[in-house]
Amino acid sequence: DALTKTELMVHVNIIVFIVFSSLLLLSIVPVKNNSLEIITFDVGSADCFLIKTPENKYIMIDTAKSGYASGKSQAEIIVLKYLKDRGIKSLESIILTHFDNDHCGGAVDIINNLKLNNVYVNTKTHSSKAANDIYLAADNRQVEIVEAYNNQVIYDLNDLKLTNLLGPSSDNDNENSIITLLEYKNFTMLFTGDVSSRGLKSVINSIPTGITVLKVPHHGASDSLDKTIMNYLSPEISIISVGENKFGHPSVYTLEMLKNTKIYRTDIHNSIKISVKKNDYSIYAFDLKRKKYILKEKPSKEG
């Protein structure tokens, strides 16, 4: 029998509702993919990185700065918004390279707003207010604080391995930075906190020669690299997390050290994304006008 006008309208409304609901779900449910992705957030002269594993687990290295004069932290303004927009509600771990504000300043906000298993730190007895605030926040949220040590494997699954490296203890907080080596098939990336070339040399035996990407130490400070380190690491890509600062970072000397690499800087390229699929990787930079990541280059295949 032919549908009545009323019945036809009911059917049309049901179809419209189903289509609208499907589109809404697609817009809020994070898209799963099996690539390794590394985001360098644009947080000025500070550090914050997000690693998405092929299994869609998330690990953060450093959390940028706290707010100025009780204002909002960069983690709240930039990082948590990014995660919320993508439906990411939990992290496996945070690695805090050291307790300088430009590396740990947003940790309390991250701990308080996301599900989290543990936080790796270079010491569980740091005396600074920032450190004690982090210890307290973790305790209140029942998040484990784990003290890092040299050659500490923190993730090892399906070809992806993350290892924390730590040199001899120093009176200089920068030198106590946790260094993290990421290895995935033929792709390698080294996260270096604020360590100097001297600190890198202390753990060099645990780092493979000829890495893919180097996170340049200490925002490109003049003592962060030397010829010996660069000859050994020989990175294809170097990333400098830097913004306006009074220290002259990145130094002309460090940029000279990096001249044989492809240099990406957050003060020039904004947020930077690396996507690793099978045996190749691609580099993207965030376009502020178009509000999305734009492919910058697809280097020759790994391996």
Side-chain angles (χ1 to χ4, degrees):
D1 293 335
L3 293 173
T4 66
K5 187 175 181 180
T6 300
E7 289 172 330
L8 183 61
M9 288 301 297
V10 169
H11 279 74
V12 170
N13 287 336
I14 290 172
I15 293 170
V16 170
F17 175 77
I18 291 171
V19 171
F20 178 78
S21 299
S22 299
L23 291 173
L24 181 61
L25 282 172
L26 287 173
S27 69
I28 62 175
V29 175
V31 177
K32 303 294 184 181
N33 65 71
N34 59 1
S35 63
L36 167 69
E37 292 183 352
I38 301 135
I39 298 288
T40 302
F41 287 103
D42 180 9
V43 287
S45 285
D47 275 10
C48 185
F49 304 89
L50 182 69
I51 300 166
K52 185 196 78 65
T53 76
E55 294 75 34
N56 292 285
K57 305 292 185 181
Y58 295 88
I59 297 163
M60 188 172 290
I61 300 180
D62 286 335
T63 59
K65 295 179 183 178
S66 61
Y68 177 73
S70 300
K72 292 183 177 181
S73 70
Q74 291 175 314
E76 187 175 356
I77 296 169
I78 299 170
V79 182
L80 285 172
K81 183 182 184 305
Y82 176 91
L83 299 177
K84 182 179 179 181
D85 288 347
R86 286 153 183 80
I88 301 167
K89 299 179 181 179
S90 64
L91 302 176
E92 293 295 300
S93 306
I94 297 174
I95 302 167
L96 295 178
T97 60
H98 60 304
F99 287 110
D100 281 359
N101 177 53
D102 57 332
H103 293 258
C104 76
V108 170
D109 285 328
I110 299 294
I111 292 168
N112 286 337
N113 285 279
L114 297 173
K115 292 181 181 179
L116 176 65
N117 292 331
N118 49 52
V119 179
Y120 290 91
V121 297
N122 60 5
T123 176
K124 296 169 75 172
T125 58
H126 202 277
S127 60
S128 69
K129 182 181 184 303
N132 284 295
D133 286 347
I134 291 165
Y135 299 151
L136 179 60
D139 184 59
N140 289 339
R141 296 275 291 178
Q142 297 183 320
V143 173
E144 183 182 12
I145 294 286
V146 182
E147 190 164 310
Y149 56 86
N150 195 34
N151 290 309
Q152 176 187 42
V153 177
I154 67 166
Y155 190 93
D156 192 358
L157 182 65
N158 296 340
D159 296 321
L160 176 61
K161 184 177 180 182
L162 290 171
T163 306
N164 284 337
L165 308 174
L166 206 60
S169 180
S170 169
D171 292 335
N172 185 320
D173 274 356
N174 288 343
E175 293 300 334
N176 292 326
S177 292
I178 299 171
I179 300 164
T180 301
L181 173 65
L182 181 155
E183 299 171 283
Y184 181 62
K185 298 181 179 180
N186 295 316
F187 178 91
T188 49
M189 182 166 178
L190 192 66
F191 299 88
T192 55
D194 277 354
V195 74
S196 70
S197 57
R198 182 174 66 255
L200 283 174
K201 287 175 182 174
S202 72
V203 296
I204 200 70
N205 290 336
S206 298
I207 303 172
T209 186
I211 65 172
T212 314
V213 181
L214 171 67
K215 197 293 288 190
V216 178
H218 201 182
H219 321 291
S222 59
D223 65 346
S224 58
L225 298 169
D226 62 24
K227 289 183 179 180
T228 301
I229 286 293
M230 287 304 297
N231 288 337
Y232 182 89
L233 295 178
S234 297
E236 298 173 22
I237 305 290
S238 53
I239 293 178
I240 308 175
S241 186
V242 69
E244 184 177 348
N245 66 89
K246 63 182 179 181
F247 304 106
H249 299 159
S251 77
V252 174
Y253 175 81
T254 297
L255 292 174
E256 176 66 18
M257 290 291 102
L258 297 169
K259 67 181 180 180
N260 293 325
T261 75
K262 178 65 178 180
I263 302 172
Y264 284 90
R265 300 169 45 162
T266 56
D267 61 340
I268 295 173
H269 301 98
N270 309 310
S271 178
I272 300 150
K273 179 172 75 171
I274 302 172
S275 178
V276 186
K277 298 178 181 179
K278 295 182 179 180
N279 292 318
D280 60 34
Y281 66 98
S282 302
I283 312 290
Y284 300 80
F286 192 78
D287 188 296
L288 295 176
K289 291 183 179 179
R290 298 166 68 178
K291 297 189 181 303
K292 66 178 182 178
Y293 287 97
I294 304 298
L295 180 66
K296 299 298 291 185
E297 62 180 299
K298 191 169 185 176
S300 58
K301 285 194 174 185
E302 291 283 286

